[in-house]
Amino acid sequence: MSRGLGDVYKRQDKNGTPLNAQLDYMSLYQESKIDGSGVDFKLGVIVRPVAGLRVGVAFHTPTYYWLDRSYRADIESHLINNKTEDDQYNFDSTPRQDDIGGNSWDFVSPSRLLFGASYTFGNLAIVSVDYEREWYNGIRVKNVPEGADFHPEAYKAEFKNNYKGTNPLRAGVEVRPLPIFAVRLGGGYTDSMLKERDFYVNDAYTSMPTTYESYYFSAGAGVNLGRNTTLELAYQYVTNKQTQYQLFFSRPENGGDMETWSGLYDTSLKRHYLAATLSFRF
């Protein structure tokens, strides 16, 4: 390994004292595997009270999940002995952590109640509206791995006291000005799942962003290229508003003001999606 003039500087600390050894690089390899399954039931009915009008209602039970997780990590470092110019490689691995079987993660997702209605104006247009109610305060953790920081009762209190139901709403319209051509417009909105949204949005100690509001707008067009062939183009604009968070912070053990912190980061996401679909019917 060749070394240039900059090595003289690298082999000294900030006071100019020569270093016996220096770190060239260090790498961390992590492996996490998650296997699991879930079961739920979906019940629904659609009725047509008058010609052109369809009304539907459905209920989705919570999904009961069983998840097994396995984790391990390897660390490799390269040190340079400045006295002998020797290279030294060090390898270390963590024990494999297995959350399997009775030591796995078991939990249920929110239950959902869905309503929908649509009306068709002959072959010219269709208008549809969908509403959902999702009970995030009903999430429950049934089992946690041995040694986990929180127990199921603590998770229950967290979701029950700090979360609430959300109300996703979607609406759209499709117009067919020509028998072979159709255009579509739509939009959707989901309100916050956080019971005290302002507390989480302005909390300076949050270390993980949480989506508290989202909405989207979409547009598209489709054309029949033949009896069994269609071409569709679609565009969607999505905005997810997330709580601010910090990369790191530290405080005295007995409490008090933060001694160091990264500042607040806002990671609200705005995305543009564009898709083209060419379909063939058999």
Coordinates of all heavy atoms in Angstrom, one line a residue, residues 116-190:
G116 N -69.2 2.6 0.1 CA -68.9 3.1 -1.2 C -70.2 3.2 -2.0 O -71.2 2.5 -1.8
A117 N -70.2 4.2 -2.9 CA -71.3 4.4 -3.8 C -70.8 4.9 -5.1 O -69.9 5.6 -5.2 CB -72.3 5.5 -3.2
S118 N -71.5 4.5 -6.2 CA -71.2 4.9 -7.5 C -72.5 5.0 -8.4 O -73.5 4.4 -8.1 CB -70.3 3.9 -8.2 OG -70.9 2.7 -8.4
Y119 N -72.4 5.9 -9.3 CA -73.6 6.1 -10.2 C -73.1 6.3 -11.6 O -72.2 7.0 -11.9 CB -74.4 7.4 -9.8 CG -75.7 7.5 -10.5 CD1 -76.8 6.9 -9.9 CD2 -75.8 8.2 -11.7 CE1 -78.1 7.0 -10.6 CE2 -77.1 8.3 -12.3 CZ -78.2 7.7 -11.8 OH -79.4 7.7 -12.4
T120 N -73.7 5.5 -12.5 CA -73.4 5.5 -13.9 C -74.4 6.3 -14.7 O -75.6 6.1 -14.5 CB -73.3 4.1 -14.5 OG1 -74.5 3.4 -14.2 CG2 -72.1 3.4 -13.8
F121 N -74.0 7.1 -15.6 CA -74.8 7.9 -16.5 C -74.8 7.2 -17.9 O -74.1 7.7 -18.8 CB -74.4 9.3 -16.6 CG -74.4 10.1 -15.3 CD1 -73.3 10.0 -14.4 CD2 -75.5 10.8 -14.9 CE1 -73.3 10.7 -13.2 CE2 -75.6 11.5 -13.7 CZ -74.5 11.4 -12.8
G122 N -75.5 6.1 -18.0 CA -75.5 5.4 -19.2 C -74.1 4.9 -19.6 O -73.3 4.4 -18.7
N123 N -73.7 5.1 -20.8 CA -72.3 4.8 -21.2 C -71.4 6.1 -21.3 O -70.3 6.0 -21.8 CB -72.3 4.2 -22.6 CG -73.0 2.8 -22.6 OD1 -72.9 2.1 -21.6 ND2 -73.8 2.5 -23.7
L124 N -71.9 7.2 -20.7 CA -71.2 8.4 -20.8 C -70.3 8.7 -19.7 O -69.1 9.1 -19.9 CB -72.2 9.6 -20.9 CG -71.6 11.0 -21.0 CD1 -70.8 11.1 -22.2 CD2 -72.7 12.1 -20.9
A125 N -70.7 8.4 -18.4 CA -69.8 8.7 -17.3 C -70.2 7.9 -16.1 O -71.3 7.3 -16.0 CB -70.0 10.2 -16.9
I126 N -69.3 7.9 -15.1 CA -69.5 7.2 -13.8 C -68.8 8.1 -12.7 O -67.7 8.6 -12.9 CB -68.9 5.8 -13.8 CG1 -69.2 5.1 -12.4 CG2 -67.4 5.7 -14.1 CD1 -68.8 3.7 -12.4
V127 N -69.5 8.2 -11.6 CA -69.0 9.0 -10.4 C -69.0 8.0 -9.2 O -70.0 7.3 -9.0 CB -69.9 10.2 -10.1 CG1 -69.3 10.9 -8.9 CG2 -69.9 11.1 -11.3
S128 N -67.9 8.0 -8.5 CA -67.8 7.1 -7.3 C -67.2 7.8 -6.1 O -66.4 8.7 -6.3 CB -66.9 5.9 -7.7 OG -65.6 6.3 -7.9
V129 N -67.6 7.4 -4.9 CA -67.2 7.9 -3.7 C -66.9 6.7 -2.7 O -67.8 5.9 -2.6 CB -68.1 8.9 -3.0 CG1 -67.6 9.4 -1.7 CG2 -68.4 10.1 -4.0
D130 N -65.8 6.7 -2.0 CA -65.5 5.7 -1.0 C -65.1 6.3 0.3 O -64.3 7.3 0.3 CB -64.4 4.8 -1.6 CG -64.8 4.0 -2.8 OD1 -65.7 3.1 -2.6 OD2 -64.3 4.3 -3.9
Y131 N -65.6 5.7 1.4 CA -65.2 6.2 2.7 C -64.8 5.0 3.6 O -65.4 3.9 3.5 CB -66.4 7.0 3.3 CG -66.2 7.2 4.8 CD1 -65.4 8.2 5.3 CD2 -66.8 6.4 5.8 CE1 -65.2 8.4 6.7 CE2 -66.7 6.6 7.1 CZ -65.8 7.6 7.6 OH -65.6 7.7 8.9
E132 N -63.8 5.2 4.4 CA -63.4 4.2 5.3 C -63.2 4.7 6.7 O -63.0 5.9 6.9 CB -62.0 3.6 4.9 CG -62.0 2.9 3.5 CD -60.6 2.3 3.2 OE1 -59.8 2.2 4.2 OE2 -60.3 2.1 2.0
R133 N -63.4 3.8 7.6 CA -63.1 4.1 9.1 C -62.1 3.0 9.5 O -62.4 1.8 9.5 CB -64.3 4.1 9.9 CG -64.1 4.3 11.4 CD -63.7 5.7 11.7 NE -63.6 5.9 13.1 CZ -63.2 7.1 13.7 NH1 -62.9 8.1 12.9 NH2 -63.2 7.2 15.0
E134 N -60.9 3.5 9.9 CA -59.9 2.5 10.4 C -59.5 2.9 11.8 O -59.1 4.0 12.1 CB -58.6 2.6 9.5 CG -58.9 2.3 8.0 CD -57.7 2.4 7.2 OE1 -56.6 2.7 7.7 OE2 -57.8 2.3 6.0
W135 N -59.6 1.9 12.7 CA -59.4 2.1 14.2 C -58.0 1.8 14.6 O -57.7 0.6 15.0 CB -60.4 1.3 15.0 CG -61.8 1.8 14.9 CD1 -62.3 2.8 15.7 CD2 -62.9 1.5 14.0 NE1 -63.7 3.0 15.4 CE2 -64.0 2.2 14.3 CE3 -62.9 0.6 12.9 CZ2 -65.2 2.1 13.6 CZ3 -64.1 0.5 12.2 CH2 -65.2 1.2 12.6
Y136 N -57.1 2.8 14.5 CA -55.7 2.5 14.9 C -55.6 2.4 16.4 O -54.6 1.8 16.9 CB -54.8 3.7 14.4 CG -54.5 3.6 12.9 CD1 -55.3 4.1 11.9 CD2 -53.4 2.9 12.5 CE1 -55.0 4.0 10.6 CE2 -53.1 2.7 11.2 CZ -53.9 3.3 10.2 OH -53.6 3.1 8.9
N137 N -56.5 3.0 17.1 CA -56.5 2.8 18.6 C -56.8 1.4 19.0 O -56.7 1.0 20.2 CB -57.4 3.8 19.3 CG -58.8 3.8 18.7 OD1 -59.0 3.4 17.5 ND2 -59.8 4.1 19.5
G138 N -57.2 0.5 18.1 CA -57.5 -0.8 18.4 C -56.4 -1.8 18.1 O -56.6 -3.0 18.3
I139 N -55.2 -1.3 17.6 CA -54.1 -2.2 17.4 C -53.6 -2.8 18.7 O -53.6 -2.1 19.8 CB -52.9 -1.4 16.8 CG1 -53.3 -0.9 15.4 CG2 -51.7 -2.2 16.7 CD1 -52.2 0.0 14.8
R140 N -53.4 -4.1 18.7 CA -52.9 -4.7 19.9 C -51.7 -5.6 19.6 O -51.7 -6.3 18.6 CB -54.0 -5.6 20.5 CG -55.2 -4.8 21.0 CD -54.9 -4.0 22.2 NE -56.0 -3.2 22.7 CZ -56.3 -2.0 22.4 NH1 -55.5 -1.3 21.6 NH2 -57.4 -1.4 22.9
V141 N -50.7 -5.6 20.5 CA -49.6 -6.5 20.5 C -49.8 -7.6 21.4 O -50.0 -7.4 22.6 CB -48.3 -5.7 20.8 CG1 -47.1 -6.7 20.8 CG2 -48.1 -4.6 19.8
K142 N -49.9 -8.9 20.9 CA -50.2 -10.0 21.7 C -49.0 -10.7 22.4 O -49.1 -11.3 23.4 CB -51.0 -11.0 20.9 CG -52.3 -10.5 20.2 CD -53.3 -10.1 21.3 CE -54.6 -9.6 20.7 NZ -55.6 -9.3 21.7
N143 N -47.9 -10.6 21.7 CA -46.7 -11.3 22.2 C -45.4 -10.5 21.7 O -45.4 -10.0 20.6 CB -46.6 -12.7 21.7 CG -45.5 -13.5 22.4 OD1 -45.5 -13.6 23.6 ND2 -44.6 -14.1 21.6
V144 N -44.4 -10.5 22.6 CA -43.2 -9.8 22.2 C -42.0 -10.7 22.6 O -42.2 -11.6 23.4 CB -43.0 -8.5 23.0 CG1 -44.1 -7.5 22.6 CG2 -43.0 -8.7 24.5
P145 N -40.8 -10.6 21.9 CA -39.7 -11.4 22.3 C -39.2 -11.2 23.7 O -39.4 -10.1 24.3 CB -38.6 -10.9 21.3 CG -39.4 -10.3 20.2 CD -40.6 -9.7 20.8
E146 N -38.6 -12.2 24.2 CA -38.1 -12.2 25.6 C -37.0 -11.1 25.6 O -36.1 -11.0 24.8 CB -37.5 -13.5 26.0 CG -36.9 -13.5 27.4 CD -36.4 -14.9 27.8 OE1 -36.5 -15.8 27.0 OE2 -35.8 -15.0 28.8
G147 N -37.1 -10.2 26.6 CA -36.1 -9.1 26.7 C -36.5 -7.9 26.0 O -35.7 -6.9 26.0
A148 N -37.6 -7.8 25.4 CA -38.1 -6.6 24.7 C -38.2 -5.5 25.7 O -38.6 -5.7 26.9 CB -39.3 -6.9 23.9
D149 N -38.1 -4.2 25.2 CA -38.1 -3.1 26.1 C -39.6 -2.9 26.6 O -39.7 -2.4 27.7 CB -37.7 -1.8 25.4 CG -36.2 -1.9 25.0 OD1 -35.5 -2.6 25.8 OD2 -35.8 -1.2 24.1
F150 N -40.6 -3.2 25.8 CA -41.9 -2.9 26.2 C -42.7 -4.3 26.2 O -42.5 -5.1 25.4 CB -42.6 -1.9 25.3 CG -42.0 -0.6 25.3 CD1 -41.1 -0.2 24.3 CD2 -42.2 0.3 26.3 CE1 -40.5 1.0 24.3 CE2 -41.6 1.6 26.3 CZ -40.7 1.9 25.3
H151 N -43.7 -4.3 27.1 CA -44.6 -5.5 27.2 C -45.9 -5.2 26.4 O -46.2 -4.0 26.2 CB -44.8 -5.9 28.6 CG -43.6 -6.3 29.3 ND1 -43.0 -7.5 29.1 CD2 -42.8 -5.6 30.3 CE1 -41.9 -7.6 29.9 NE2 -41.8 -6.5 30.6
P152 N -46.7 -6.2 26.1 CA -48.0 -6.0 25.4 C -48.9 -5.0 26.1 O -49.5 -4.2 25.4 CB -48.6 -7.4 25.4 CG -47.4 -8.4 25.4 CD -46.4 -7.7 26.3
E153 N -48.9 -4.9 27.4 CA -49.8 -3.9 28.1 C -49.3 -2.5 27.8 O -50.1 -1.6 27.7 CB -49.8 -4.2 29.6 CG -50.6 -5.5 29.9 CD -52.1 -5.4 29.5 OE1 -52.7 -4.3 29.6 OE2 -52.6 -6.4 29.0
A154 N -48.0 -2.3 27.7 CA -47.5 -1.0 27.4 C -47.8 -0.6 26.0 O -48.2 0.6 25.7 CB -45.9 -1.0 27.6
Y155 N -47.8 -1.5 25.0 CA -48.2 -1.2 23.6 C -49.7 -0.9 23.6 O -50.1 0.0 22.9 CB -47.9 -2.4 22.7 CG -46.4 -2.5 22.3 CD1 -45.6 -3.5 22.9 CD2 -45.9 -1.6 21.4 CE1 -44.3 -3.6 22.5 CE2 -44.6 -1.7 21.0 CZ -43.8 -2.7 21.6 OH -42.4 -2.8 21.2
K156 N -50.5 -1.7 24.4 CA -51.9 -1.4 24.4 C -52.2 0.0 24.9 O -53.0 0.7 24.3 CB -52.6 -2.5 25.3 CG -54.1 -2.3 25.5 CD -54.7 -3.3 26.4 CE -56.2 -3.1 26.6 NZ -56.8 -4.1 27.5
A157 N -51.6 0.4 26.0 CA -51.8 1.7 26.5 C -51.3 2.8 25.5 O -52.0 3.9 25.3 CB -51.0 1.9 27.8
E158 N -50.2 2.6 24.8 CA -49.8 3.5 23.8 C -50.8 3.7 22.7 O -51.1 4.9 22.3 CB -48.4 3.0 23.2 CG -47.9 3.9 22.0 CD -47.4 5.2 22.4 OE1 -47.2 5.5 23.6 OE2 -47.3 6.1 21.5
F159 N -51.3 2.7 22.1 CA -52.2 2.8 21.0 C -53.6 3.3 21.5 O -54.2 4.1 20.8 CB -52.4 1.5 20.3 CG -51.3 1.1 19.4 CD1 -50.4 0.0 19.8 CD2 -51.0 1.8 18.3 CE1 -49.3 -0.3 19.0 CE2 -49.9 1.4 17.5 CZ -49.1 0.4 17.8
K160 N -54.0 2.9 22.6 CA -55.3 3.3 23.2 C -55.3 4.8 23.5 O -56.3 5.5 23.3 CB -55.7 2.4 24.4 CG -57.1 2.7 24.9 CD -57.4 1.8 26.1 CE -58.8 2.0 26.6 NZ -59.1 1.1 27.7
N161 N -54.3 5.3 24.1 CA -54.2 6.6 24.7 C -53.8 7.7 23.6 O -54.2 8.8 23.7 CB -53.3 6.7 25.9 CG -53.8 5.8 27.0 OD1 -55.0 5.6 27.2 ND2 -52.9 5.3 27.8
N162 N -53.0 7.3 22.7 CA -52.4 8.3 21.8 C -52.8 8.2 20.3 O -52.4 9.0 19.5 CB -50.8 8.1 21.8 CG -50.3 8.4 23.2 OD1 -50.8 9.3 23.9 ND2 -49.3 7.6 23.7
Y163 N -53.6 7.1 20.0 CA -54.0 7.0 18.6 C -55.5 7.0 18.5 O -56.2 6.8 19.5 CB -53.5 5.7 18.0 CG -52.0 5.7 17.6 CD1 -51.1 5.7 18.7 CD2 -51.6 5.8 16.3 CE1 -49.7 5.7 18.4 CE2 -50.2 5.8 16.0 CZ -49.3 5.8 17.0 OH -48.0 5.9 16.8
K164 N -56.1 7.2 17.3 CA -57.5 7.3 17.1 C -57.8 6.7 15.7 O -56.9 6.3 15.0 CB -58.0 8.7 17.2 CG -57.5 9.7 16.2 CD -58.0 11.1 16.4 CE -57.6 12.0 15.2 NZ -58.1 11.6 13.9
G165 N -59.1 6.7 15.4 CA -59.5 6.2 14.1 C -59.3 7.3 13.1 O -59.3 8.5 13.3
T166 N -59.0 6.8 11.8 CA -58.8 7.7 10.7 C -60.0 7.6 9.7 O -60.8 6.6 9.8 CB -57.5 7.4 10.0 OG1 -57.6 6.1 9.4 CG2 -56.3 7.6 10.9
N167 N -60.1 8.5 8.8 CA -61.3 8.6 7.9 C -60.8 8.8 6.5 O -60.9 9.9 6.0 CB -62.2 9.7 8.4 CG -62.7 9.6 9.8 OD1 -63.6 8.8 10.1 ND2 -62.0 10.3 10.7
P168 N -60.2 7.8 5.8 CA -59.8 8.0 4.4 C -61.1 8.2 3.5 O -62.1 7.5 3.7 CB -59.2 6.7 4.1 CG -58.7 6.1 5.4 CD -59.8 6.5 6.4
L169 N -60.9 9.2 2.6 CA -62.0 9.5 1.7 C -61.5 9.6 0.3 O -60.5 10.3 0.1 CB -62.7 10.8 2.1 CG -63.9 11.3 1.3 CD1 -65.0 10.4 1.4 CD2 -64.3 12.7 1.7
R170 N -62.1 9.0 -0.6 CA -61.7 9.0 -2.0 C -62.9 9.2 -2.9 O -64.0 8.8 -2.6 CB -61.0 7.6 -2.4 CG -59.8 7.3 -1.6 CD -59.2 6.0 -2.1 NE -60.1 4.9 -1.8 CZ -60.1 4.2 -0.6 NH1 -59.2 4.6 0.3 NH2 -60.9 3.2 -0.4
A171 N -62.6 10.0 -4.0 CA -63.7 10.3 -5.0 C -63.1 10.3 -6.4 O -61.9 10.7 -6.6 CB -64.4 11.6 -4.7
G172 N -63.9 10.0 -7.4 CA -63.4 10.0 -8.7 C -64.5 10.0 -9.7 O -65.7 9.7 -9.4
V173 N -64.2 10.4 -10.9 CA -65.1 10.5 -12.0 C -64.4 10.1 -13.3 O -63.3 10.4 -13.5 CB -65.7 12.0 -12.2 CG1 -64.6 13.0 -12.4 CG2 -66.7 12.0 -13.3
E174 N -65.2 9.3 -14.1 CA -64.7 8.9 -15.4 C -65.7 9.3 -16.5 O -66.9 9.1 -16.3 CB -64.4 7.4 -15.5 CG -64.0 6.9 -16.9 CD -63.7 5.4 -16.9 OE1 -62.9 5.0 -16.1 OE2 -64.3 4.8 -17.8
V175 N -65.2 10.0 -17.5 CA -66.1 10.4 -18.6 C -65.6 9.8 -19.9 O -64.4 9.7 -20.2 CB -66.1 12.0 -18.8 CG1 -67.0 12.4 -19.9 CG2 -66.5 12.6 -17.5
R176 N -66.6 9.3 -20.7 CA -66.3 8.7 -22.0 C -66.9 9.5 -23.1 O -68.0 9.3 -23.6 CB -66.8 7.3 -22.0 CG -66.4 6.4 -23.2 CD -67.1 5.1 -23.2 NE -66.7 4.3 -22.0 CZ -65.7 3.4 -22.0 NH1 -64.9 3.2 -23.1 NH2 -65.4 2.7 -21.0
P177 N -66.1 10.5 -23.6 CA -66.7 11.4 -24.7 C -66.8 10.7 -26.0 O -67.6 11.0 -26.8 CB -65.6 12.5 -24.8 CG -64.4 11.9 -24.2 CD -64.8 11.0 -23.2
L178 N -66.0 9.6 -26.2 CA -66.0 8.8 -27.4 C -66.1 7.3 -27.0 O -65.6 7.0 -25.9 CB -64.8 9.0 -28.3 CG -64.6 10.4 -28.8 CD1 -63.2 10.5 -29.5 CD2 -65.7 10.9 -29.8
P179 N -66.7 6.5 -27.8 CA -66.9 5.1 -27.4 C -65.5 4.4 -27.2 O -65.5 3.5 -26.4 CB -67.6 4.5 -28.6 CG -68.3 5.6 -29.3 CD -67.4 6.8 -29.1
I180 N -64.5 4.9 -27.8 CA -63.2 4.2 -27.6 C -62.2 5.0 -26.7 O -61.1 4.6 -26.5 CB -62.5 4.0 -29.0 CG1 -62.2 5.4 -29.6 CG2 -63.3 3.1 -29.9 CD1 -61.3 5.3 -30.8
F181 N -62.7 6.1 -26.1 CA -61.8 7.0 -25.3 C -62.4 7.4 -24.0 O -63.6 7.7 -24.0 CB -61.4 8.2 -26.2 CG -60.5 9.2 -25.4 CD1 -59.2 8.8 -25.2 CD2 -61.0 10.4 -25.0 CE1 -58.3 9.7 -24.6 CE2 -60.1 11.3 -24.4 CZ -58.8 10.9 -24.1
A182 N -61.6 7.4 -22.9 CA -62.1 7.7 -21.6 C -61.1 8.6 -20.9 O -59.9 8.3 -21.0 CB -62.5 6.5 -20.8
V183 N -61.5 9.5 -20.1 CA -60.6 10.3 -19.2 C -61.1 10.2 -17.8 O -62.3 10.0 -17.5 CB -60.6 11.8 -19.6 CG1 -59.9 11.9 -21.0 CG2 -62.0 12.4 -19.6
R184 N -60.2 10.3 -16.8 CA -60.5 10.1 -15.4 C -59.8 11.1 -14.5 O -58.7 11.6 -14.8 CB -60.0 8.7 -14.9 CG -60.5 7.6 -15.8 CD -59.9 6.2 -15.3 NE -60.3 5.1 -16.2 CZ -59.5 4.7 -17.2 NH1 -58.4 5.3 -17.5 NH2 -60.0 3.7 -18.0
L185 N -60.5 11.5 -13.5 CA -60.0 12.4 -12.4 C -60.3 11.9 -11.1 O -61.4 11.3 -10.9 CB -60.5 13.8 -12.6 CG -60.0 14.7 -13.8 CD1 -60.8 16.0 -13.9 CD2 -58.6 14.9 -13.8
G186 N -59.4 12.0 -10.1 CA -59.7 11.5 -8.8 C -58.9 12.1 -7.7 O -57.9 12.9 -8.0
G187 N -59.2 11.9 -6.5 CA -58.5 12.4 -5.4 C -58.8 11.6 -4.1 O -59.8 10.9 -4.0
G188 N -57.9 11.8 -3.1 CA -58.2 11.1 -1.8 C -57.5 11.9 -0.7 O -56.6 12.6 -0.9
Y189 N -58.0 11.6 0.5 CA -57.5 12.3 1.7 C -57.6 11.4 2.9 O -58.6 10.7 3.1 CB -58.3 13.6 2.0 CG -57.9 14.3 3.3 CD1 -56.7 15.0 3.4 CD2 -58.7 14.1 4.4 CE1 -56.4 15.7 4.6 CE2 -58.3 14.7 5.6 CZ -57.1 15.5 5.7 OH -56.8 16.1 6.9
T190 N -56.5 11.3 3.7 CA -56.5 10.6 5.0 C -56.1 11.5 6.1 O -55.0 12.1 6.0 CB -55.6 9.4 4.9 OG1 -56.0 8.5 3.8 CG2 -55.7 8.6 6.2

